[in-house]
Amino acid sequence: MAIGFDYGTANCSVAQLFDGVVKQIPLVGDDLYVPSTLCAPNSETVSEYLFRCKEIKPVNASGEALLRRAIKVNHEEGLDVRSDDVKFGHEALELYLEDPKDVYYVKSPKSFLGAMGLRDMQLSFFEDLVCAMMSNIKNRTESHLNQEVTQAVIGRPVNFLGRGGDKSNIQAEGILRNAANRAGFKDVEFQFEPVAAGLEFESSLTEDKNVLIVDIGGGTTDCSMIQMGPSWAQQLDRTDSLLAHSGQMVGGNDLDIYTAFKCFMSEFGMGTKRHSGLDIPLIQFWNPIVISDVQAQRSFYAHDNLAVLQQFLREAKEPEKVSRLLTLHKETLGYSVIREAEKTKIALGDNEHYRANLNLLSETFQVDVTKSSLEAAIEPPTSKIKALVEEAVVQSGIKPDMVFMTGGSARSPILTNAVKSVLGEIPVVRGDFFGSVTSGLARRADLLFR
């Protein structure tokens, strides 16, 4: 049986085509989406969990070395890995928020699969993270359908995050493919996410159109100019209909990061002077919240950095603010700050003012944010999204007949207006913000594996 599988930066979802109608499959109760998050007692738990609890073995030497190291570390720590030690989605987030210091928590591993310069064991670890998440989704899907699922079309961005260009894309897709195969998917194909979203929209067209798909997800924005309609709908090879692609790792996560950085971090001491007259380096306020950058997170939360922050506290003219930065480090609260930034972004889609609540466990304080300050804060990623829209139009050499906007972040009126500012009076159609990609992948899976 074949499914469309959207392994998203923000959420995972699956769907299947039944008698010409796409049906998304509930994964947790009635919920169609599982947040792309995972938590465990420590990072080593994940590899041993796959081996002991899921009977999923490593497939290469670096994976075997990673597993041996994980078993050794867990044995030394007296940790007997059980099936309920690894949690996913909302369960993972809730456990992390209860005890952030003593829980290994990761959000959106898809964001760093294309990072260059990683060692073989690091690549194997990322593969284990993705495999654990995919195995969880596969098991939940099979439980709902009451039958085995072995074929999948998986969505991927036009470009993964990474400075390696095609090398980054090849590495990231390879990790996804290996993880899916190990999780039990025997036949795996990939489809660009904006193209998948277009395939779902195409099912509603009664005549051929040139459509610009703008897919603004949690981690990526992808734009595709596609010829679509009744003439193309059932064709397996859509090469000739794909006129242009543009894509970059900029999306909802970046909006949240910039919101936190510009609107919140002054309350943690950003802009605070030291008695010497110098500022505290901005990198100390950026690294804890840039959750898509593994190296930045490691740099901020490193033990050595604690001494640096303590020195800044002693030198600060406003120590009460800088002390919050130390709390952020000691309690590993970067994800909590980003979560409140996301809530702020969503609230200001419909309101002019929002009072954010930042919980540092030992202290809760409020920050007032206006829509205009939010717009100023997210201007850098907004400008990148506008540039991607322009790039796709220039590449194709034609003006679209219409624009189809999808992806969770496309809900933002700020981003909708930004896209309209590039394209003028061209009609903008807004589809299922979360389900379009999944539905299109299901249609593609039905064509390929029927």
Side-chain angles (χ1 to χ4, degrees), residues 221-446:
T221 294
D222 290 313
C223 303
S224 293
M225 185 77 80
I226 310 176
Q227 291 177 315
M228 57 175 56
S231 300
W232 299 96
Q234 295 302 312
Q235 294 189 26
L236 275 175
D237 185 356
R238 295 295 298 264
T239 305
D240 291 341
S241 71
L242 307 181
L243 304 180
H245 287 302
S246 65
Q248 192 176 342
M249 290 294 289
V250 56
N253 287 350
D254 298 272
L255 302 179
D256 300 337
I257 290 165
Y258 274 90
T259 299
F261 185 65
K262 296 285 190 178
C263 300
F264 296 165
M265 297 313 287
S266 62
E267 300 298 325
F268 292 82
M270 188 168 75
T272 291
K273 296 289 184 182
R274 292 183 271 172
H275 291 295
S276 64
L278 297 175
D279 289 329
I280 295 175
L282 288 176
I283 197 70
Q284 293 288 358
F285 304 97
W286 178 258
N287 282 351
I289 57 173
V290 60
I291 58 172
S292 57
D293 188 329
V294 179
Q295 299 303 327
Q297 293 276 284
R298 284 179 177 167
S299 177
F300 180 78
Y301 290 112
H303 180 71
D304 291 348
N305 195 43
L306 178 59
V308 175
L309 295 176
Q310 288 171 333
Q311 180 66 28
F312 289 147
L313 176 62
R314 288 192 292 270
E315 298 175 353
K317 289 186 175 181
E318 297 182 81
E320 68 282 0
K321 289 186 176 181
V322 179
S323 67
R324 291 170 176 163
L325 193 62
L326 266 76
T327 301
L328 200 65
H329 178 285
K330 292 176 181 177
E331 304 296 340
T332 321
L333 290 171
Y335 281 106
S336 179
V337 173
I338 288 298
R339 185 165 178 262
E340 187 59 27
E342 181 184 19
K343 290 170 65 176
T344 301
K345 175 191 68 180
I346 293 170
L348 290 174
D350 299 318
N351 301 286
E352 294 296 322
H353 172 269
Y354 179 73
R355 180 162 289 175
N357 289 285
L358 292 165
N359 185 356
L360 299 185
L361 302 183
S362 60
E363 174 195 13
T364 299
F365 61 97
Q366 296 178 324
V367 179
D368 289 327
V369 185
T370 64
K371 179 174 284 189
S372 61
S373 63
L374 173 68
E375 290 175 349
I378 65 174
E379 193 278 331
T382 301
S383 293
K384 289 181 181 180
I385 291 169
K386 291 167 66 175
L388 291 172
V389 173
E390 292 182 89
E391 181 183 344
V393 173
V394 170
Q395 274 187 30
S396 68
I398 62 171
K399 285 263 189 166
D401 296 315
M402 61 178 61
V403 179
F404 178 70
M405 289 189 67
T406 187
S409 297
R411 292 176 299 169
S412 167
I414 296 173
L415 296 184
T416 301
N417 291 333
V419 171
K420 288 180 178 179
S421 73
V422 175
L423 299 170
E425 298 303 316
I426 295 172
V428 175
V429 180
R430 291 149 64 92
D432 182 346
F433 293 119
F434 293 101
S436 294
V437 171
T438 316
S439 297
L441 293 171
R443 292 184 182 278
R444 185 67 177 169
D446 183 69

Side-chain angles (χ1 to χ4, degrees), residues 58-92:
V59 293
N60 54 40
S62 62
E64 291 171 354
L66 178 68
L67 176 60
R68 287 195 297 271
R69 179 182 180 277
I71 292 173
K72 180 175 182 292
V73 169
N74 288 330
H75 177 72
E76 290 174 349
E77 293 184 1
L79 181 61
D80 183 19
V81 175
R82 303 172 305 188
S83 60
D84 62 349
D85 281 335
V86 179
K87 299 188 183 299
F88 306 90
H90 291 297
E91 273 192 317

Side-chain angles (χ1 to χ4, degrees), residues 38 56 92 98 157 171 178 188 202 258 299 320 425:
L38 174 152
I56 297 175
E98 284 178 11
Q171 173 181 288
N178 292 342
V188 175
E202 183 176 58
Y258 274 90
S299 177
E320 68 282 0
E425 298 303 316

Side-chain angles (χ1 to χ4, degrees), residues 10-133:
N11 295 288
C12 297
S13 58
V14 295
Q16 193 174 36
L17 196 69
F18 291 93
D19 298 325
V21 178
V22 173
K23 293 185 179 179
Q24 281 191 245
I25 297 168
L27 297 172
V28 181
D30 294 330
D31 289 345
L32 302 176
Y33 303 95
V34 173
S36 300
T37 58
L38 174 152
C39 81
N42 59 25
S43 60
E44 287 78 16
T45 301
V46 179
S47 299
E48 189 172 355
Y49 160 83
L50 285 176
F51 178 70
R52 296 199 187 282
C53 305
K54 306 297 290 184
E55 298 183 353
I56 297 175
K57 300 178 180 179
V59 293
N60 54 40
S62 62
E64 291 171 354
L66 178 68
L67 176 60
R68 287 195 297 271
R69 179 182 180 277
I71 292 173
K72 180 175 182 292
V73 169
N74 288 330
H75 177 72
E76 290 174 349
E77 293 184 1
L79 181 61
D80 183 19
V81 175
R82 303 172 305 188
S83 60
D84 62 349
D85 281 335
V86 179
K87 299 188 183 299
F88 306 90
H90 291 297
E91 273 192 317
L93 177 60
E94 289 168 5
L95 185 59
Y96 163 73
L97 292 176
E98 284 178 11
D99 193 7
K101 186 176 180 180
D102 294 324
V103 171
Y104 173 75
Y105 177 79
V106 62
K107 177 182 179 182
S108 310
K110 182 180 175 182
S111 297
F112 37 80
L113 300 184
M116 291 284 95
L118 299 175
R119 299 188 301 273
D120 287 344
M121 282 184 64
Q122 289 176 305
L123 293 172
S124 292
F125 177 63
F126 288 163
E127 184 181 304
D128 280 357
L129 282 177
V130 177
C131 181
M133 296 170 77

